[in-house]
Amino acid sequence: MAPHTEQLTRPAVRLRGLTRSFGGRTVLDGIDLDLPAGQFTALLGHSGSGKSTLLRAVAGLDHGVAGRGSPQRERSRGLGGGQITAPERVSVVFQDSRLLPWRRVLDNVLLGLDGRDAEERGRAALAEVGLEGRERAWPGELSGGEAQRAALARSLVREPQLLLADEPFGALDALTRIRMHGLLRELWQRHRPSVLLVTHDVDEAIVLADRVLVLDQGRIGLDLTIDRPHPRSYREPVLGEYRERLLAALGVTEDRP
């Protein structure tokens, strides 16, 4: 199921001339990028290439780059250069679930929410990620996969227009990661936020995303559309062509790490 055409004509995120430096080293070098509303985009790159820096900039968590605002209220701030336009409702999922250990699972999902229907929404979100009945559990009682499910529930209960995911499955075992891939894709199809997924895993990017970007030397080195229907299997031969192009953009061949 692909995003509606009319959705993809409206950018949810717009970056213009985005620049960020650390200690004299330029990590993001004047990036221009549009992310259409409702699109699932993956961002690849070597360690230290600036993937998480770009994600944090879009999330408004890095004050050293341009500020963020709605398309009607663009603004810039901080020490960096460029302009960021992003939706008001943004949620972030990290590699660590970041659940507060002294709060029960439902309380973690509801953190910062108010309103008469907040608890009902939180319970519905937990049921959606397969954690119905675990509302009163403590985070320490959850497996790694369950903790990430709770983190997804916490993000989606806020009905974000943009979901930013920074290697959310990097700490999980292979089988749990595959299950989480299916869950994330299903949740995206149901809620339709724009998604920007940062990952080191080329296969993960190909299976999940409809567009894959490769960050290289501070710029977008490759912008690749994955024009295949879902669900996708890691074993599909045609996906090997995309894999080769992405590995080449990363400077990797099958016989040379």
Side-chain angles (χ1 to χ4, degrees), residues 97 99-108 131 133-144 146-147 150:
S97 65
L99 300 179
L100 300 178
W102 57 88
R103 288 180 178 264
R104 296 186 187 272
V105 169
L106 180 58
D107 294 331
N108 267 283
L131 290 179
R134 302 287 277 164
E135 295 87 354
R136 299 294 297 165
W138 296 102
E141 298 172 344
L142 303 181
S143 67
E146 287 174 331

Side-chain angles (χ1 to χ4, degrees), residues 183-256:
L183 175 63
L184 178 58
R185 187 74 198 189
E186 178 184 335
L187 292 170
W188 172 79
Q189 290 177 326
R190 191 177 303 156
H191 293 273
R192 291 294 174 170
S194 303
V195 176
L196 178 60
L197 170 70
V198 167
T199 179
H200 279 101
D201 189 330
V202 170
D203 290 327
E204 180 173 274
I206 294 171
V207 167
L208 285 176
D210 299 310
R211 179 187 185 191
V212 183
L213 308 173
V214 176
L215 194 58
D216 181 37
Q217 297 184 4
R219 295 179 176 272
I220 303 298
L222 179 66
D223 186 341
L224 181 63
T225 298
I226 309 297
D227 189 18
R228 299 296 300 170
H230 287 275
R232 298 174 189 151
S233 168
Y234 292 95
R235 296 183 297 274
E236 285 186 58
V238 69
L239 295 184
E241 300 175 12
Y242 295 109
R243 188 172 189 271
E244 289 180 6
R245 289 192 62 185
L246 291 169
L247 287 174
L250 290 165
V252 178
T253 61
E254 296 292 348
D255 58 350
R256 180 172 58 86

